[in-house]
């Protein structure tokens, strides 16, 4: 029997409602994943796994936001926010071990990406990190900020506290640091990092990509060791 116009219209409306339901479900899932980094739990939240995303390394010689040999066989790209408690946990508990075991041995290079997702203070801290980097003290500043971060919640990173962290990190010219930390000219580079994260589907911090393999959240040291050693074996 030939469908009537009413039947066709009804099928079309049902199809549209079904498609709208799928879109709403996808948006809700995205919002749930995006809130992962904002949770204030004491332990890292288990996040959905991602498939390989490709090599995200830049390998720029002399990059002050990177540590390790530019030709290291393995590159860990870190997407982080200075106000993220889980990023602080990685900085305190995992990063020093990775530096001792892999970076200092020429196996691993670590490259920082700004992903300020916790408001204006996160963006201000990202600028401050760039200001410290301009004086060769990025990693010292980074570690100093995270060392003072609480296990729960988000620290209050005011201009005064950021200047204090810069002083503690050994930034030599604090007046210059203050000027550059308030200069929005670095925003384009920060936005480029954010766009890169968005392009590969990263919306929470900390997130990592090791030779194309993603790791979501402040996972235990053993997880990073396993991925790094597997990547190093492939690169040999």
């Amino acid at each position: 029997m030939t469908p009537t116009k009413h039947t066709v219209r009804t099928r079309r409306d049902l199809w549209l409602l079904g498609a709208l339901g799928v879109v709403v479900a996808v948006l809700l899932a995205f919002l749930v994943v995006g809130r992962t980094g904002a949770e204030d739990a004491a332990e890292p939240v288990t996040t959905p796994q991602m498939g390989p995303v490709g090599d995200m390394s830049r390998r720029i010689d002399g990059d002050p936001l990177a540590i390790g040999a530019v030709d290291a066989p393995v590159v860990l790209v870190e997407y982080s926010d200075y106000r993220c408690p889980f990023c602080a946990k990685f900085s305190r508990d995992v990063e020093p071990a990775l530096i001792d075991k892999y970076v200092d041995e020429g196996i691993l290079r670590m490259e920082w990406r700004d992903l300020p997702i916790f408001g204006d203070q996160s963006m201000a801290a990202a600028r401050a990190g760039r200001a410290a980097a301009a004086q060769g003290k990025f990693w010292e500043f980074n570690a100093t900020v995270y060392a003072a971060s609480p296990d729960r919640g988000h620290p209050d990173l005011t201009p005064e506290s950021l200047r204090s962290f810069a002083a503690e990190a050994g930034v030599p010219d604090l007046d210059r640091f203050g000027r550059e930390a308030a200069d929005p000219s670095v925003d384009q580079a920060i936005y480029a990092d954010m766009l890169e994260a968005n392009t590969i589907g990263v919306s929470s911090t900390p997130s990592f990509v090791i030779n194309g393999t993603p790791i979501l959240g402040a996972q235990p040291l053993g997880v990073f060791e396993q991925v790094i050693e597997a990547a190093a074996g492939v690169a040999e």
Side-chain angles (χ1 to χ4, degrees):
M1 183 174 64
T2 303
T4 66
K5 291 183 178 179
H6 175 74
T7 302
V8 172
R9 186 181 300 109
T10 299
R11 291 177 179 174
R12 182 190 62 192
D13 291 345
L14 288 173
W15 183 88
L16 289 173
L17 285 173
L20 180 60
V22 172
V23 171
V24 170
V26 171
L27 287 175
L28 286 174
F30 175 79
L31 289 173
V32 169
V33 173
R35 287 176 58 85
T36 299
E39 296 295 336
D40 289 340
E43 296 298 327
V45 176
T46 300
T47 55
Q49 296 301 305
M50 295 170 56
V53 297
D55 183 7
M56 304 308 297
S57 66
R58 295 174 183 169
R59 295 183 180 273
I60 300 172
D61 195 15
D63 182 0
L65 275 64
I67 184 173
V70 72
D71 59 350
V74 183
V75 179
L76 179 153
V77 178
E78 173 186 357
Y79 300 89
S80 286
D81 183 314
Y82 286 101
R83 301 186 69 220
C84 164
F86 303 129
C87 301
K89 181 177 179 62
F90 170 80
S91 175
R92 294 191 298 253
D93 299 348
V94 177
E95 185 177 277
L98 296 183
I99 292 173
D100 288 343
K101 188 172 182 178
Y102 300 111
V103 175
D104 290 347
E105 296 300 317
I107 298 170
L108 179 68
R109 176 178 174 85
M110 299 176 65
E111 297 184 356
W112 171 272
R113 304 286 190 269
D114 281 302
L115 186 55
I117 60 176
F118 296 117
D120 292 342
Q121 287 194 354
S122 292
M123 190 66 180
R127 293 190 191 108
R130 305 274 173 157
Q135 299 190 51
K137 292 294 183 178
F138 173 78
W139 291 98
E140 292 85 351
F141 175 81
N142 186 295
T144 300
V145 174
Y146 282 140
S149 181
D151 292 333
R152 294 174 178 268
H154 311 296
D156 189 22
L157 298 181
T158 64
E160 293 75 21
S161 66
L162 292 170
R163 183 183 177 96
S164 177
F165 288 135
E168 185 178 347
V171 175
D173 189 338
L174 292 179
D175 289 337
R176 175 188 168 189
F177 169 84
R179 291 192 304 270
E180 294 181 349
D183 185 354
S185 65
V186 298
D187 288 4
Q188 184 174 355
I190 296 171
Y191 291 144
D193 285 356
M194 297 171 70
L195 178 60
E196 178 181 294
N198 179 259
T199 299
I200 62 174
V202 167
S203 60
S204 62
T205 56
S207 292
F208 310 87
V209 177
I210 300 176
N211 280 28
T213 299
I215 297 177
L216 304 182
Q219 301 297 332
L221 174 61
V223 172
F224 290 92
E225 290 177 331
Q226 182 178 11
V227 176
I228 290 169
E229 290 175 12
V234 170
E236 288 178 355

